[in-house]
Amino acid sequence: MARATIPGYPRIGKHRELKKALEAFWSGKISEADLQQTAAEVRRAGWDAQAAAGLDLIPANDFSFYDQVLDTTAMVGAVPERYKWSGDTVDLDTYFAMARGRTGEKDVRAMEMTKWFDTNYHYIVPELHPDTAFRLASDKPLIQFEEAKAAGVNAKPVLVGPVTFLMLAKDHEERLDRFALLDRLLPVYTEVVGKLADAGAEWIQLDEPILVEDLVPGELDALKSAYEAIAAAKGNAKILVQTYFDHVGDAYETLVNLPVDGIGLDFVRGPENLDFIKKDQGFPTDKVLVAGVVDGRNIWVNDLNTSFSTLEELAKHVDPDRIIVSTSCSLLHTPYDVNEEKQLDPEVKSWLAFAEQKLHEVVTLAKGLTQGKDAIADALAANKQLLESAAKSPRRRNEQVQARLANLPADADQRGVPFAQRAKLQQERLGLPKLPTTTIGSFPQTGDVRATRRKFEKGDITRAEYERFIEGQIKAVIDHQEDLGIDVLVHGEPERNDMVQYFGEQLDGFAFTHNGWVQSYGSRYVRPPVIYGDVSRPEPMTVRWATYAQSLSDKPVKGMLTGPVTILNWSFVRDDQPRSATCEQIALAMRDEVHDLDEAGIKMIQIDEAALREGLPLRRADWDEYLHWAVECFRITAAGARPETQVHTHMCYSEFNDIFQAISDLDADVISIENARSGLELLEVFKSAGYDKGIGPGVYDIHSPRVPPREEIEENLKKTLTVLDIDQVWVNPDCGLKTRKPEESTAALKNMVAAAKEVRESLVGAGIK
């Protein structure tokens, strides 16, 4: 009998209960007991939804207050020394300090944060070194399993696997031999697995998504060693090694021959996994296959007929009784329930399936595999009819957009003159000092800003009233920056709800949810736009506010746009055409906006591509194709500006070493990068490659409430100037300030400007002009 499961479930609460509780706890408004109560309620609601849908195995310990990798760091006691941890159980204060940093008497910086594979979720990067010692320092997996068991849930505890944990870790001194730590790490894992087995766990899931990336020497040997040890400690429990996000490639043979009881494979993003099973390698008769046939990362109704055909093909090679039907990955990456969308266009809504809907898709497919295709014939027929109707909908296609793309000139991605000439024209126009200071775009959005926006959306105030309010906010931000002494200003983006949503709401081909929240990191949740049809721009989107802001100051004010690749990668993208085609459509729409800003007299235009790197395929062999069209799309957008108009871009969480040529090929005049948690190692890449354009390495971390002292920023700048030429360097925070409190951003910016002036004056005193 085929069973149904999923690798994980959303954990933020159907109505963002966890966000509200976390932020109340951080601000001292509720106790730890209150926070834990909310967390328990969120977990119980998730288990109840899965049980009601008919899942046979329900994940536990997939809940996290911040991040599952950070949870693992806590579990194995790998707390960096700077947090002055007592060495006992990792407490919430230490846990959140690692994630967010601390300010005040216990001032300490946060750990580095980066993207989870090619998703828009972020994890806290473990910091390990050759002498790291491990020990069990958190019983969270056992506590949450026992909580689920007490609630009558047939729970499957979930852990980040040891090989993935080591591979995701970082050693800032680059002396780390990850696999040399395995023998020290494994006793913690075997202890946890043993405790879970003793507590009655039937299955224990260990996630090893690292296996879908290119293998490194020693990885497969480490995998075998790890699971030989874990298998010896499992008692009566069964061990499932779960992979997702792509096929497992050269790891397949080693993976399926591990001494474990089940293997989870992604057949949505890794259809090659089916070929591995069909060919000579086959699938072991003593193991269970967890077949990920429902897309866990997108929000379109699943093609049940295609998924069932995959299951039928698998059943030719694997006993159906040994197949567990699943989503391709955790449903962490999808919203909760499409039925919560009361205002979404009915036709578009009918095309969507969120987490709860995906549960039913998985259960339906498991029923068909167990009882035969006839048992789900009605569901298959209805699904086929829906998908055919969606494909024929006129909402999908815009002939004008298609014609414009087909007739795009060969030089549509060219700025007209090379960078060296542009730089001279721009400096003559702008007259900037050395080490110019700026910010990335957004300023703190206060409760007043959000409340006024809600009033406008509900119709409680008129458009004229709302626009007067926004003008007041922009003027206040401009005046504030003038007072601080910042050289290049921004308007602060008070009119924007989100850097992608704001544009999508003004572009044709997009739809938006009201409750479609997914976690980005910690308490930062986003509502990704839904791209369902061809994209075009009916009218200017930002010119009104950019020109108003520029009218308030003699200093340059940047026009702020989100780039086409980031809009694509931070949206739920239609699956009926290549992603590259959708990105080209967005690029043309944003090009029109660049042109209009330029014509309106805006001298600097920033086109943020925060998500360029996260769209990289997980295997290097596939990188060139993606980077070719991604870079091309950015250049098409930027080419809407004249040579004398300075084009900036901003990138987050980017490790540039391996895609540096693509970054250079963007041909942006200035690039600002997130760097405060990375030190000089990232900048060395620019130096060694001879990068000659402007660079703004983030001088302080905005993802933490911590305010860096002036001396710290000054020291960072001086170090930066040992690597980069002074004529290249810009001074700016890591990222936008939207999520920070006004008092935090003000204090940090004061220190940033003071540090820049001090370094600038010291250089002038040394005869550098």
Side-chain angles (χ1 to χ4, degrees):
M1 177 179 175
R3 291 189 286 175
T5 192
I6 57 172
Y9 198 66
R11 60 199 186 203
I12 63 178
K14 207 167 189 177
H15 302 289
R16 295 183 293 160
E17 291 90 344
L18 183 60
K19 174 186 178 69
K20 297 165 189 174
L22 279 171
E23 294 178 355
F25 175 71
W26 291 335
S27 63
K29 295 176 181 176
I30 65 172
S31 67
E32 180 175 336
D34 294 329
L35 176 63
Q36 294 286 4
Q37 178 61 35
T38 297
E41 290 168 358
V42 169
R43 290 192 291 270
R44 182 59 185 263
W47 295 332
D48 287 348
Q50 294 170 71
L55 256 63
D56 300 292
L57 284 173
I58 295 174
N61 195 46
D62 53 338
F63 174 87
S64 174
F65 277 127
Y66 209 94
D67 158 51
Q68 67 266 22
V69 181
L70 180 61
D71 290 354
T72 308
T73 296
M75 181 184 81
V76 301
V79 179
E81 289 184 7
R82 66 181 178 275
Y83 298 104
K84 298 183 176 10
W85 172 49
S86 67
D88 299 323
T89 299
V90 174
D91 57 288
L92 276 185
D93 180 64
T94 302
Y95 177 88
F96 287 131
M98 290 192 285
R100 307 174 70 238
R102 257 190 319 236
T103 192
E105 293 181 4
K106 297 182 178 180
D107 183 84
V108 64
R109 64 179 173 84
M111 293 166 68
E112 186 174 341
M113 181 166 62
T114 195
K115 293 298 177 77
W116 176 248
F117 295 85
D118 59 348
T119 74
N120 189 31
Y121 174 74
H122 307 69
Y123 72 93
I124 302 297
V125 181
E127 294 179 19
L128 305 181
H129 54 80
D131 300 321
T132 297
F134 302 103
R135 69 172 189 78
L136 183 59
S138 170
D139 271 332
K140 172 179 171 285
L142 181 64
I143 292 168
Q144 293 194 9
F145 170 71
E146 290 181 329
E147 179 186 335
K149 184 179 176 183
V153 175
N154 186 17
K156 171 187 60 171
V158 178
L159 305 172
V160 174
V163 178
T164 292
F165 177 74
L166 288 175
M167 289 294 293
L168 294 179
K170 183 173 186 176
D171 170 24
H172 288 282
E173 297 180 9
E174 298 184 351
R175 298 180 297 120
L176 186 64
D177 178 359
R178 290 168 171 78
F179 302 135
L181 299 178
L182 186 63
D183 287 344
R184 273 180 262 161
L185 177 65
L186 284 176
V188 181
Y189 271 87
T190 57
E191 185 177 356
V192 171
V193 166
K195 286 187 173 186
L196 290 169
D198 290 345
E202 176 192 3
W203 281 94
I204 302 170
Q205 174 182 312
L206 290 104
D207 288 355
E208 295 286 7
I210 201 69
L211 297 178
V212 306
E213 293 190 337
D214 295 319
L215 297 172
V216 302
E219 187 173 344
L220 294 182
D221 288 338
L223 187 73
K224 288 188 284 187
S225 297
Y227 285 93
E228 285 170 0
I230 289 170
K234 70 173 185 172
N236 293 324
K238 299 174 184 176
I239 300 297
L240 163 66
V241 179
Q242 179 71 51
T243 67
Y244 38 77
F245 299 151
D246 208 330
H247 67 86
V248 294
D250 292 338
Y252 179 80
E253 185 174 0
T254 300
L255 176 63
V256 298
N257 286 297
L258 293 176
V260 298
D261 305 280
I263 303 294
L265 299 175
D266 181 345
F267 294 96
V268 176
R269 290 179 177 249
E272 297 87 346
N273 284 325
L274 178 58
D275 294 330
F276 300 147
I277 291 174
K278 290 168 61 177
K279 292 179 180 177
D280 295 339
Q281 298 178 69
F283 191 83
T285 57
D286 63 341
K287 288 183 174 61
V288 166
L289 173 64
V290 177
V293 293
V294 172
D295 193 345
R297 283 182 54 177
N298 218 324
I299 43 77
W300 306 103
V301 166
N302 191 60
D303 185 337
L304 293 180
N305 288 275
T306 296
S307 294
F308 193 73
S309 294
T310 299
L311 290 171
E312 287 182 312
E313 190 63 32
L314 286 170
K316 296 176 183 178
H317 306 274
V318 182
D319 187 331
D321 288 343
R322 303 190 72 82
I323 295 176
I324 301 178
V325 183
S326 176
T327 51
S328 61
C329 63
S330 171
L331 295 178
L332 167 71
H333 309 288
T334 61
Y336 273 88
D337 183 8
V338 76
N339 292 320
E340 294 286 314
E341 302 304 323
K342 309 300 183 184
Q343 300 178 34
L344 191 61
D345 176 272
E347 183 181 18
V348 175
K349 181 178 176 179
S350 72
W351 303 340
L352 306 182
F354 292 175
E356 288 195 13
Q357 287 70 48
K358 290 178 185 295
L359 297 178
H360 292 282
E361 290 175 339
V362 167
V363 170
T364 296
L365 291 166
K367 178 181 177 181
L369 192 58
T370 297
Q371 300 179 22
K373 192 172 184 178
D374 287 347
I376 60 169
D378 290 345
L380 294 176
N383 177 257
K384 181 179 180 181
Q385 183 179 8
L386 172 64
L387 296 179
E388 289 176 346
S389 173
K392 295 175 183 176
S393 173
R395 309 282 295 280
R396 293 278 198 184
R397 188 172 176 86
N398 182 318
E399 296 300 335
Q400 290 181 324
V401 172
Q402 296 287 336
R404 187 181 181 191
L405 274 175
N407 296 297
L408 201 62
D411 63 351
D413 65 341
Q414 301 298 311
R415 291 287 306 278
V417 299
F419 169 71
Q421 292 177 241
R422 296 200 309 266
K424 290 180 181 179
L425 292 171
Q426 292 163 12
Q427 182 57 20
E428 289 172 3
R429 189 182 189 194
L430 297 168
L432 296 172
K434 292 186 186 299
L435 302 179
T437 53
T438 190
T439 63
I440 301 304
S442 62
F443 264 64
Q445 288 212 355
T446 63
D448 192 27
V449 170
R450 294 190 294 270
T452 304
R453 184 185 300 126
R454 285 194 294 270
K455 287 180 182 178
F456 174 62
E457 291 171 348
K458 293 178 179 179
D460 295 340
I461 60 174
T462 66
R463 176 172 292 278
E465 290 173 317
Y466 178 67
E467 292 190 351
R468 281 196 298 272
F469 173 82
I470 294 298
E471 285 182 350
Q473 293 293 311
I474 291 173
K475 185 177 187 308
V477 168
I478 294 292
D479 291 345
H480 183 47
Q481 292 170 92
E482 294 270 21
D483 292 342
L484 288 168
I486 294 174
D487 300 305
V488 173
L489 313 185
V490 297
H491 78 286
E493 305 177 11
E495 80 286 7
R496 303 187 188 184
N497 42 21
D498 175 82
M499 65 182 289
V500 173
Q501 181 177 347
Y502 176 77
F503 291 99
E505 286 176 339
Q506 300 180 77
L507 294 170
D508 287 344
F510 282 76
F512 289 86
T513 66
H514 284 268
N515 297 290
W517 298 98
V518 293
Q519 186 180 27
S520 179
Y521 63 88
S523 67
R524 169 68 170 156
Y525 307 158
V526 294
R527 284 182 299 171
V530 177
I531 305 177
Y532 65 83
D534 288 344
V535 177
S536 61
R537 186 198 72 149
E539 59 187 12
M541 300 178 286
T542 65
V543 175
R544 158 81 166 87
W545 303 119
T547 53
Y548 173 71
Q550 185 61 79
S551 74
L552 300 173
S553 179
D554 292 331
K555 292 182 176 181
V557 180
K558 291 188 285 189
M560 302 299 305
L561 304 177
T562 303
V565 184
T566 296
I567 291 176
L568 181 89
N569 285 336
W570 286 359
S571 298
F572 289 123
V573 182
R574 60 192 294 189
D575 59 358
D576 63 333
Q577 69 177 17
R579 290 174 67 87
S580 58
T582 301
C583 197
E584 287 176 344
Q585 294 175 0
I586 301 169
L588 286 178
M590 300 310 292
R591 176 194 180 99
D592 293 342
E593 190 69 14
V594 169
H595 175 269
D596 286 350
L597 286 169
D598 195 10
E599 288 292 309
I602 302 302
K603 300 174 184 178
M604 286 186 189
I605 302 172
Q606 183 168 306
I607 307 167
D608 287 344
E609 284 296 10
L612 179 76
R613 196 184 196 285
E614 77 183 46
L616 275 174
L618 294 174
R619 297 183 181 277
R620 286 177 180 264
D622 302 321
W623 283 15
D624 286 350
E625 179 186 0
Y626 165 76
L627 288 172
H628 174 76
W629 60 256
V631 168
E632 180 81 359
C633 287
F634 177 88
R635 290 174 62 108
I636 287 171
T637 296
R642 293 171 294 175
E644 62 267 31
T645 298
Q646 193 172 75
V647 172
H648 291 230
T649 190
H650 171 67
M651 294 187 177
C652 298
Y653 314 110
S654 292
E655 298 169 3
F656 291 136
N657 309 49
D658 42 13
I659 61 165
F660 183 82
Q661 188 56 52
I663 301 303
S664 181
D665 289 345
L666 292 174
D667 200 30
D669 300 308
V670 180
I671 178 173
S672 56
I673 57 175
E674 188 159 4
N675 190 64
R677 298 191 189 189
S678 300
L680 296 180
E681 58 201 87
L682 184 55
L683 304 183
E684 291 284 358
V685 179
F686 287 86
K687 179 182 179 180
S688 62
Y691 191 79
D692 60 349
K693 301 177 180 68
I695 310 174
V699 295
Y700 76 89
D701 176 19
I702 67 89
H703 298 100
S704 167
R706 176 177 178 267
V707 175
R710 175 189 60 79
E711 295 80 6
E712 179 181 309
I713 298 175
E714 187 177 328
E715 184 64 24
N716 286 344
L717 271 175
K718 289 177 179 178
K719 288 180 179 178
T720 295
L721 293 175
T722 67
V723 178
L724 301 175
D725 186 271
I726 188 172
D727 290 326
Q728 293 179 275
V729 177
W730 285 63
V731 183
N732 48 259
D734 252 353
C735 202
L737 304 173
K738 177 181 176 181
T739 59
R740 296 272 55 88
K741 295 177 181 178
E743 60 270 23
E744 294 168 352
S745 65
T746 296
L749 291 175
K750 280 182 179 178
N751 290 346
M752 182 188 83
V753 172
K757 286 181 178 179
E758 180 67 27
V759 174
R760 191 184 296 157
E761 289 170 4
S762 69
L763 293 172
V764 170
I768 300 175
K769 299 181 180 179

